[in-house]
Structure formats: structure tokens, C-alpha cells
Amino acid sequence: MRNNLFFRISILLTAVLTCVGTSAQTTQKRLLALSDSARMAYDFPAALDLCRKAIRLDSTARSRYEDHLILAQNGLSMMDFCSHPTVVARKVVPLKEFFLYYPLPDGSWRATPNQLDSTARNLMAKAVYVPENATAIFYSANDDDGIRNIYKTTLDGDLWSAPALIGERLTSASDEIYPMLSSDGETLYFASKGLYGMGGYDLYVSHWNKDTKDWDVPVNMGFPYSSPYDDLLFINSEDGKYSLFASNRDCQKDSVCIYVLEYDEVPIRKPISDVEELRNLSKLEVPVREDVGDEPETQDKGQQNESIRRYVAKLKEVRALRDSLSAFRKHMDALRAMMANVDDEKKENLAGIIASKEEELPALNESLQVAVGQLQEIEMEFLSKGIVPDESKLESEASAAGTGLSSGFEFSKRDFGPRLQLRMSSTKPKINYSFKILGEARLADSNTLPDGLVYQIKLFNQPRRASMAELKGLSPVYERKISSGYSYSAGLFNSYKDALSNINKVKSRGFRNAEIIAFSDGQPIGVSKARNLESQQSVYIVVIYPENGQSLPEEVIARIHDYSGQDLIKTVDNGSVIFKVGPFDEKNEAESLASDIRAAGESSVSVTVSR
């Protein structure tokens, strides 16, 4: 019989609730609350048992509680693939600026809001990584539905391209944040709470596939990198010695712990079946040096060593908070010093920044006071048990464990970089009138697809016809009869980019397994083949050489936007400024716009063919 605390509690709770006649719905909620508690304690077998008990009380509620079941199942599955990295150092730092403690170039983090990420309200994502001389930027930002996705923009001449989603596989119905590209550009690390995981943000890795020219399916990095808590911002240091990530698994709400691990190029994964062993692995404790003598360790000595380990950990946390508070005050002093050397407008801006930051000081002080109080409680425990630790040794252990000095790694806080000032191509989105989300779903009048290459978003297959309620407001929905029943897909998109920009909206409506499919002349083809065909199709670009050599008249710009709705891109060709509008699928559309531009006063206009 399993000796498991949560399992025993679940049996007792079920019996008690049955005796007192508690409703099935109330019992379900309590069992699910216990299931979540077990999951957060890494006891995934117990979490799964509790969740199944809750669902058995009312099977009709399974869809409402499926998320709990999936998280517990995922955690249990990932216990079969656990890495065992060597911990070098760890440090507790404020959540709002934890990324500044990473060994990355000074000034490479740009605070939100900025040109790329216009919101500062997200609790976790507070900056965009843009190092000096970058030619490609991967970043996280909200889509139209408020869900954070990963976008990419690249430098072309002196203009940055219009931001685009990086791929279907890396997009979920929830948030993706902190994308970090490897130095060779072929591996992308990021955090997500919408992909295959066990709760909160998990860490994922995806590799660039040179054959498909796309990112492969992201893989959860598993224990101990991912956990039921929030795990963020994985990188490998430039010197190839360390791997770092942050997590709030052992921190207060306003903090995270940065873990520094020895870099392991080919980590060996092993199964763990014991829950306590998994908990200990996920703590990622820095090894504490202990003197080894001839005297065997008694039970009392073992308890004493455990108390000392707790004391060292808490002493380390107090030191980290004091360091953060000291750095905060130095930063405030620097801002105040700057006010004496700037004009009135900048002085007013600085005053606002200082006032805003001063509001953060009480929370920092409170965190430090709480940690100091907990440290004093451990000291009182020492006194009550007659433990007299070697203070010089404790100081040495706390210094080595807290900063990593013994391994050569030292934490150092960087500064934010200057505000982003990127000259970007038009980011006006193309409106796709084929796809809408309405109050009630609508089926397409005809399921016949047009000739040429088109994409759709597949929803599901099932043996019976779907009701309008099951289609959740999507329009138009295409219903096809197949051998096993019916197949449903939504939208009609002329490019993979348009389909990709809408798939997250579909997933957020509850279609977790939605995927992009493609057709050529009405016949299904693979998406990779479709994208290859799409890249080979001829398109037409309108090229304008402005008469003044620099800009276009307002009337011309207005006609471009009113007539075509296409992107207007400014670039430099052989030293001359030119503007490009397109792409157009039909040559007559491009020629018609070119005629309108000439009529508006710009005579140097041509139509070019591109692939």
C-alpha cells in the first residue's frame, strides 16, 4: 500500500464528505484543490489520483477539469526523463529586474513599454533583449487577443522588417515569453505556459530545421529546469561554461532565484520514481562543503547539519536582498545626480521615473525584513538546541554558495540599455476578410475551395455532425464528409503567414489541437510543400523613385493605403531612396496602383516581378 500523504488525505476527505452529504460539485472542487497542492509538491501520482476521483464524481464535468488532469499526467510522464546538472551558484533577486543579473552584454535589455512590446502590465515579462549591433530580434509581445507570442524582426539596410510570428509550432493558446537565440542561430530557448507542461511557465527548446526552413516542434526541457512553478529565461553563457535559468519555485512572490549550472552539452536523462528524490533534485541546492572526520554521523549530528544548511540558505537569501537593496539605492542616487545636468523636459521625466521607483522601495525593505526575521528564528533554534556553529565557516559557505566565487562565477547586475529607436517597415496588418470570430459560428455556403494555393486551419474530426455551439463562433467553417464521419476547418487564407497570424485565435477558443493545412487546386498537400510552392510563385511589386529623392507626398501615401492596403517599405538601392508597395498576386492590380500614383504626381514608377 502506498505510503503517500496526499493519497491518504484524499481517501479521508472523500469519506468525510460522503458522510456529511456534501454535494458532488463541492467535493470535486476540494479534490481538485488537493490535486493542485500535490502537483505543486511534485507528487504527480497523487495529483493524478485525486483528479481522477474528482472526475468520477461527475463525468459530465470532465471538460471543465481537463486542464488539471493534463498537467498531472504531463508531470508524471516527465519523471521518466530527468537531468542531473551540477549546480554552481544561485541567487535570489527581484522579479522585476532579474534578467539584469545574467552574464549578458551591459545595456542589452530594453525596458517595457517600447516599440516592440507596448505593454508594461505583464508580471513576468518586463524587458526585450536587444544587444548592440543586432541584426535580428526575437521578442515576445501581445497579439490582438492579449496573448503573448514570439515575433521576429530583421534589419534590411536601415529598416527593420515588419514583425512576424516565427512559426506555428511555437505558438500556443497561452503566453510565450523570453525567447533567447543561441550564438549559432540554430537553437531557440523560451518559456511557455500553453505548450506541453506541468503548470506555470515551463522551459522549452526548439531547433532550426535547415531542410524545412522552419523551427522544429519545441521540447519541454524537463526536470529540474521545468517545474510546476514559473521557470524563465534559459541561456548558455558565451564562454561555454555555464547554463542559467530563473524560477520562483523557492521564492516569495516578488522574487525569483537564478540558478547557475555547469554547461552540459549532452545531458544524460534518467527516470525518477521517488517523489522525495524528485523534490530534492528540483531544489538545485548548491553543494555545501563539509569537514569529513573519522567520527560517524549520528542522528543528532545529521539534524544539526540540516539546521546549518537551512541557516546557510537563509543567510544567502538575506545577503542577496541586501545586495539588491544597495544596488537599488545606488541607481536612485545616479538618477538624482543626472537631474543636475539635463534640461527641464528631461528633468521632469527623470523626476517621474524617480517617483515611480521610490514606490518600489517599501516592498524591497519588507522582503528583507521578513528574511532577516526568518534568519533570527533559525538562530533562536540553534540556541534552544545548544548548537554552536562555526561562524567563520558559515560565512565562507554562504559566500561560496551565494555568489559562486568558488567556481569562478560571480553575479553582477547590468544596466538597462537606452530606449529603442528602430526605423521599421509598415506594420499595418493585412485584413483577412475570410476569417472572423462572431457571436455564432457560420458554415461556408459552399465547401468547394478556389483554384490555386490556399491554407485553412483544421479544427477536428468526429463521427457525427458538429453543432454550431461546438464551432464556437468561427466563420466561415468548412464541413467535409470523410470515411470516419465529418471534418471541420476554418478560414480561407492565401498565404501561410495569414493562416499563422490567426491560428492562435482559434486555439484560444478551445481548439487545442488546431493545425494549419494546405490545398492546391482543391486537393490537400503538405504544408511544407505548400510553403515551397508559395515561395516560388510570381508576385508583383510597385517601385517608386521619389522626385525629391527622400519622401513621398501625402496624397501619394494616402492613395497607396486607400487603394491597396499593402505594406509601404522605404529602402535604399545604390545610394538612392526608393519605396516599394506589395506584394500583389495579380499584375493588373499592381499596374492599376502604379497608374494612380502617376496621376498623383509621382512619375517615376515601375512594376517589377518577384518570387
Side-chain angles (χ1 to χ4, degrees):
M1 183 174 179
R2 286 171 35 194
N3 181 20
N4 183 289
L5 175 63
F6 288 104
F7 186 68
R8 296 200 307 273
I9 289 175
S10 71
I11 294 174
L12 178 62
L13 179 65
T14 304
V16 170
L17 292 177
T18 302
C19 291
V20 301
T22 307
S23 71
Q25 186 176 9
T26 301
T27 305
Q28 274 186 320
K29 290 181 179 179
R30 293 181 180 176
L31 286 173
L32 288 168
L34 276 175
S35 174
D36 282 343
S37 296
R39 177 174 56 82
M40 300 303 284
Y42 298 89
D43 195 344
F44 300 104
L48 194 57
D49 283 339
L50 288 161
C51 196
R52 285 171 174 164
K53 286 178 183 296
I55 291 174
R56 280 199 294 269
L57 289 176
D58 181 6
S59 60
T60 62
R62 182 184 179 94
S63 61
R64 296 201 303 272
Y65 301 132
E66 191 170 9
D67 286 346
H68 299 261
L69 189 68
I70 290 172
L71 294 178
Q73 287 173 329
N74 291 349
L76 185 60
S77 297
M78 281 190 276
M79 288 177 68
D80 289 334
F81 306 95
C82 299
S83 302
H84 294 74
T86 300
V87 186
V88 173
R90 47 183 277 174
K91 185 178 181 69
V92 177
V93 298
L95 170 62
K96 62 184 178 58
E97 57 183 14
F98 76 95
F99 37 81
L100 296 178
Y101 290 87
Y102 277 60
L104 294 166
D106 197 31
S108 57
W109 288 101
R110 316 304 173 101
T112 56
N114 55 50
Q115 275 181 277
L116 299 175
D117 184 1
S118 61
T119 178
R121 295 187 299 273
N122 188 279
L123 179 64
M124 295 291 175
K126 292 290 187 181
V128 175
Y129 181 65
V130 186
E132 189 177 2
N133 300 322
T135 57
I137 303 171
F138 290 77
Y139 68 98
S140 170
N142 285 1
D143 63 13
D144 294 339
D145 297 315
I147 297 173
R148 298 186 74 85
N149 293 299
I150 300 175
Y151 296 85
K152 178 185 179 183
T153 178
T154 55
L155 186 62
D156 183 10
D158 61 347
L159 284 178
W160 289 86
S161 64
L165 288 167
I166 63 171
E168 176 188 358
R169 295 185 178 95
L170 284 70
T171 301
S172 74
S174 193
D175 293 344
E176 280 77 49
I177 59 176
Y178 290 117
M180 297 297 288
L181 191 67
S182 63
S183 57
D184 62 7
E186 295 185 358
T187 303
L188 187 71
Y189 301 97
F190 63 99
S192 172
K193 60 179 181 180
L195 296 172
Y196 173 88
M198 65 192 92
Y201 286 99
D202 279 15
L203 289 168
Y204 298 82
V205 58
S206 178
H207 300 284
W208 180 253
N209 190 315
K210 295 179 180 178
D211 295 328
T212 63
K213 293 181 172 56
D214 199 358
W215 292 99
D216 282 336
V217 175
V219 176
N220 192 309
M221 295 182 68
F223 298 110
Y225 307 99
S226 295
S227 75
Y229 297 85
D230 293 313
D231 308 295
L232 314 163
L233 190 56
F234 180 95
I235 70 163
N236 292 312
S237 61
E238 289 188 4
D239 60 13
K241 293 182 179 180
Y242 309 110
S243 298
L244 296 88
F245 76 96
S247 177
N248 63 3
R249 63 186 69 174
D250 288 317
C251 300
Q252 296 181 9
K253 186 176 181 180
D254 60 351
S255 303
V256 294
C257 185
I258 299 175
Y259 298 92
V260 184
L261 315 171
E262 286 186 5
Y263 174 72
D264 188 354
E265 185 174 5
V266 186
I268 298 174
R269 298 190 175 214
K270 300 177 181 178
I272 289 181
S273 57
D274 183 72
V275 171
E276 190 62 30
E277 183 182 353
L278 180 63
R279 287 195 195 107
N280 290 332
L281 171 68
S282 298
K283 287 179 182 178
L284 291 172
E285 295 282 4
V286 180
V288 177
R289 298 190 303 274
E290 295 182 2
D291 295 330
V292 180
D294 296 331
E295 181 184 352
E297 185 176 85
T298 64
Q299 182 176 359
D300 289 342
K301 188 172 179 61
Q303 292 174 349
Q304 177 175 323
N305 285 336
E306 177 59 30
S307 296
I308 291 174
R309 277 192 283 268
R310 287 194 296 112
Y311 184 84
V312 169
K314 188 55 64 176
L315 183 62
K316 178 178 56 177
E317 182 181 345
V318 168
R319 175 172 293 160
L321 288 168
R322 282 176 176 161
D323 289 345
S324 297
L325 194 58
S326 175
F328 180 87
R329 286 170 174 158
K330 287 179 181 178
H331 183 56
M332 295 293 289
D333 290 342
L335 289 176
R336 293 187 183 100
M338 288 173 59
M339 291 186 67
N341 303 308
V342 296
D343 56 35
D344 291 342
E345 183 179 352
K346 291 182 179 178
K347 188 173 294 185
E348 185 178 348
N349 290 336
L350 279 173
I353 293 172
I354 291 171
S356 175
K357 284 190 168 294
E358 283 178 339
E359 295 177 358
E360 302 170 7
L361 190 57
L364 278 174
N365 279 319
E366 183 181 355
S367 296
L368 177 58
Q369 290 169 6
V370 170
V372 169
Q374 293 169 341
L375 185 66
Q376 291 171 344
E377 288 178 4
I378 300 175
E379 291 173 343
M380 293 301 294
E381 181 184 327
F382 281 173
L383 290 174
S384 67
K385 294 181 178 180
I387 299 174
V388 183
D390 184 340
E391 293 187 6
S392 62
K393 180 182 176 182
L394 289 179
E395 181 71 16
S396 173
E397 297 291 0
S399 297
T403 65
L405 291 176
S406 62
S407 66
F409 185 91
E410 184 175 1
F411 285 101
S412 176
K413 186 181 177 183
R414 275 66 171 172
D415 292 322
F416 278 109
R419 286 187 173 278
L420 284 177
Q421 294 183 340
L422 307 178
R423 298 182 63 243
M424 304 195 74
S425 304
S426 171
T427 58
K428 181 179 179 182
K430 295 182 181 180
I431 299 174
N432 191 314
Y433 293 100
S434 325
F435 177 75
K436 300 180 181 69
I437 297 179
L438 307 172
E440 182 176 302
R442 294 180 184 174
L443 293 174
D445 294 333
S446 170
N447 290 317
T448 302
L449 297 176
D451 291 338
L453 183 66
V454 295
Y455 297 86
Q456 291 191 304
I457 298 175
K458 182 179 177 180
L459 306 177
F460 56 82
N461 295 342
Q462 64 181 32
R464 57 174 177 79
R465 296 188 72 173
S467 66
M468 290 296 102
E470 289 176 286
L471 302 177
K472 301 182 180 180
L474 301 185
S475 175
V477 174
Y478 290 73
E479 179 185 76
R480 300 183 180 90
K481 188 73 175 69
I482 57 176
S483 58
S484 59
Y486 294 87
S487 177
Y488 292 87
S489 54
L492 198 61
F493 308 99
N494 293 321
S495 70
Y496 176 80
K497 179 181 177 181
D498 286 338
L500 182 60
S501 67
N502 283 287
I503 192 168
N504 202 47
K505 297 177 182 178
V506 174
K507 288 182 177 181
S508 67
R509 302 291 290 183
F511 300 98
R512 294 177 178 273
N513 298 318
E515 61 179 333
I516 297 174
I517 56 177
F519 299 84
S520 178
D521 294 332
Q523 298 301 311
I525 61 171
V527 172
S528 295
K529 182 177 180 181
R531 294 183 68 183
N532 187 47
L533 290 173
E534 184 182 345
S535 67
Q536 297 175 9
Q537 288 181 340
S538 296
V539 294
Y540 300 91
I541 307 293
V542 176
V543 182
I544 312 165
Y545 302 87
E547 289 192 356
N548 66 7
Q550 293 296 324
S551 60
L552 295 176
E554 289 296 328
E555 184 181 353
V556 171
I557 295 174
R559 291 204 180 196
I560 291 170
H561 287 307
D562 292 344
Y563 181 89
S564 65
Q566 299 285 346
D567 289 337
L568 174 62
I569 301 172
K570 180 181 179 181
T571 187
V572 177
D573 185 19
N574 294 326
S576 299
V577 174
I578 62 173
F579 291 85
K580 296 181 179 181
V581 187
F584 294 90
D585 294 329
E586 302 294 334
K587 183 177 181 180
N588 62 340
E589 293 181 2
E591 293 284 9
S592 180
L593 176 59
S595 297
D596 269 18
I597 292 172
R598 294 187 189 99
E602 287 289 345
S603 57
S604 298
V605 185
S606 65
V607 175
T608 62
V609 181
S610 179
R611 287 188 180 275

